[in-house]
Amino acid sequence: MLENLTALPADKILALMAKYKEDPRTDKVDLGVGVYKDASGNTPVMRAVKEAERRILADQTSKAYTGLAGDPAFGTAMRELVLADSVPAERVAAVATPGGTGAIRQALELIKMAAPDATVWLSNPTWPNHPSIIKYLGMKMAEYRYFDEETRGVDFDGLMADLDGIAAGDVVLLHGCCHNPTGANLTLDQMDQVIAKLQAKGAVPLVDIAYQGFGDGLDADAVATRRIASSFDNVLIAASCSKNFGVYRERTGILMAVAKDADQKALAQQTLAYLNRQNYSFPPDHGARVVTTILTDPELRADWEAELEETRNGMLALRQQLADELKRLTNSDRFNFLADHRGMFSRLGTSPEKVEQLRAEHGIYMVGDSRMNIAGLNAKTVPILAKAIVDAGI
Ligand code: LMR
């Protein structure tokens, strides 16, 4: 049987991670996988997470199963965090999932069940696992333009023109904030125009929000998602806790389905629970319990929000430092987009050959499409990266 397998293409982000590990150079710089790192290159366990874990360890009396949708308290806490009061709770079905990827996978499975002929539209570019899972599930897929290679901002005219091609019932995947891989984001005014277009076309939005709190702030980053949620009968929202709670390996995420009314919500809830059962039965609980503990305890929540703000401001400072350094070295404003981008990533906008040159000559690792993890930098490595960018003639 196993001889029938054929080698699969490696995930480019994970392949880069392995390559970095093998590199013996001590001054190498990892700007690959989207994991937050502090100034010493560590990915710390957040203070509130440590304290929540301590409490859970002390108080937990059972590891018996929760429910197929996970602990309902997690669903409530996450709905409030992401959606606030934009949609009534009676319209929101929710299941805990193994990370944001699990939420995306379950969302796509739900779409496959409910709308097997729908085409799923993705920004070009998008997180590479989006098209990978869609392809794996044998679903129809199309792309809309997103990134302007010249300005390194959003190609809004291209995006709107391409969305003219969507058919009624198609699904359009939108990044809630902090676009991965580009770092370029729609303004709220542009998002309103996208919403109007999707409404006119009868499309269903699927929002991937994996970096809430990494861009402009916890609430500011959710505004677009909330507007989308309140503008349609049906919206799917995949939210990840990996980054903003730093619980990557705990696999903590949620899929929410905004339904037209309470009856439709009940049907969606039952279907989501069924999908969990088919794929892995009960979702992981530990990370979800940590998140719920933090979100429902005012003291822990305040500490978590404060640490998340430190993280966010640290990334903004690195962005500014890099843009300033490149301005100084090139005597031009052409790298200012780095300070305008938001979230963990920026797409530098250069060729795979130049990216390889940065790796080979300077030990600087970024994804082949020139996506850089800004959080992989620190005050000392910013000037090194800036000089390498200039030396490589980018
Ligand atoms: C990334 O884009 O680097 C992260 O979302 C991690 C991953 O799973 O790819």
Side-chain angles (χ1 to χ4, degrees):
M1 176 189 79
L2 297 182
E3 69 275 13
N4 296 327
L5 297 175
T6 51
L8 294 164
D11 180 284
K12 59 184 183 179
I13 298 171
L14 304 186
L16 187 75
M17 219 168 135
K19 210 167 181 179
Y20 174 81
K21 265 198 186 140
E22 283 163 16
D23 190 332
R25 286 176 284 189
T26 51
D27 57 352
K28 58 189 177 177
V29 181
D30 179 16
L31 308 181
V33 69
V35 170
Y36 172 75
K37 292 191 193 137
D38 63 17
S40 358
N42 299 319
T43 303
V45 180
M46 293 179 86
R47 296 184 298 259
V49 169
K50 267 280 178 222
E51 176 56 20
E53 287 187 315
R54 196 192 59 72
R55 291 185 194 177
I56 292 166
L57 187 66
D59 300 342
Q60 195 168 46
T61 53
S62 176
K63 293 272 188 196
Y65 293 122
T66 51
L68 279 180
D71 182 356
F74 174 67
T76 303
M78 284 302 291
R79 177 176 48 71
E80 285 170 358
L81 181 72
V82 178
L83 297 178
D85 55 4
S86 57
V87 218
E90 302 75 62
R91 284 183 54 207
V92 186
V95 278
T97 55
T101 307
I104 289 289
R105 170 67 188 267
Q106 298 299 69
L108 291 167
E109 297 245 17
L110 185 77
I111 294 162
K112 208 177 160 186
M113 282 177 88
D117 294 326
T119 295
V120 182
W121 290 74
L122 302 175
S123 64
N124 177 16
T126 191
W127 182 50
N129 216 13
H130 288 148
S132 181
I133 300 174
I134 293 173
K135 213 166 138 197
Y136 173 68
L137 291 173
M139 298 169 75
K140 285 194 252 171
M141 174 168 79
E143 286 179 339
Y144 58 88
R145 271 171 284 175
Y146 187 82
F147 191 64
D148 183 332
E149 298 285 346
E150 275 303 303
T151 64
R152 270 86 150 182
V154 174
D155 175 6
F156 190 63
D157 292 341
L159 175 150
M160 290 298 273
D162 288 349
L163 291 185
D164 272 333
I166 52 186
D170 279 356
V171 173
V172 179
L173 193 151
L174 299 162
H175 296 227
C177 65
C178 307
H179 186 266
N180 179 5
T182 66
N185 295 288
L186 296 172
T187 63
L188 279 180
D189 178 56
Q190 289 172 332
M191 186 56 90
D192 284 340
Q193 294 179 57
V194 170
I195 289 172
K197 169 88 75 188
L198 266 49
Q199 284 172 326
K201 293 280 180 187
V204 177
L206 162 57
V207 181
D208 184 354
I209 178 159
Y211 297 90
Q212 187 182 351
F214 271 40
D216 291 309
L218 209 45
D219 270 312
D221 289 346
V223 171
T225 304
R226 291 172 189 168
R227 277 198 196 175
I228 296 166
S230 63
S231 303
F232 296 84
D233 282 347
N234 291 166
V235 181
L236 298 175
I237 299 150
S240 171
C241 302
S242 298
K243 280 76 181 187
N244 51 7
F245 288 87
V247 291
Y248 306 86
R249 65 176 68 164
E250 300 298 350
R251 310 314 297 136
T252 310
I254 190 157
L255 172 62
M256 292 179 276
V258 176
K260 197 166 73 146
D261 53 34
D263 285 347
Q264 211 182 57
K265 171 196 163 167
L267 192 59
Q269 187 64 53
Q270 193 205 10
T271 311
L272 290 176
Y274 168 87
L275 283 173
N276 267 7
R277 182 69 170 157
Q278 305 320 303
N279 281 326
Y280 38 76
S281 199
F282 297 86
D285 178 72
H286 180 72
R289 195 157 295 275
V290 166
V291 166
T292 311
T293 304
I294 294 170
L295 291 178
T296 55
D297 181 284
E299 208 182 310
L300 281 188
R301 186 178 178 128
D303 189 45
W304 168 68
E305 288 190 13
E307 192 169 357
L308 185 57
E309 269 299 279
E310 285 164 30
T311 303
R312 187 178 77 80
N313 286 323
M315 285 187 293
L316 283 181
L318 287 167
R319 287 186 173 283
Q320 194 60 54
Q321 193 195 346
L322 183 58
D324 289 347
E325 187 65 11
L326 281 161
K327 187 176 194 161
R328 198 179 63 78
L329 293 178
T330 61
N331 212 7
S332 84
D333 287 342
R334 66 195 171 89
F335 289 101
N336 279 7
F337 66 88
L338 291 165
D340 298 336
H341 283 172
R342 282 295 177 272
M344 214 176 222
F345 306 117
S346 267
R347 181 185 259 207
L348 187 56
T350 191
S351 65
E353 291 74 28
K354 295 279 185 196
V355 169
E356 175 52 23
Q357 190 181 337
L358 290 173
R359 194 195 65 78
E361 292 175 8
H362 302 275
I364 293 169
Y365 283 71
M366 57 181 77
V367 184
D369 62 1
S370 75
R371 184 191 84 168
M372 305 184 288
N373 173 14
I374 297 294
L377 290 166
N378 60 46
K380 283 205 203 89
T381 52
V382 164
I384 296 170
L385 171 65
K387 186 168 178 309
I389 290 173
V390 174
D391 286 352
I394 292 169

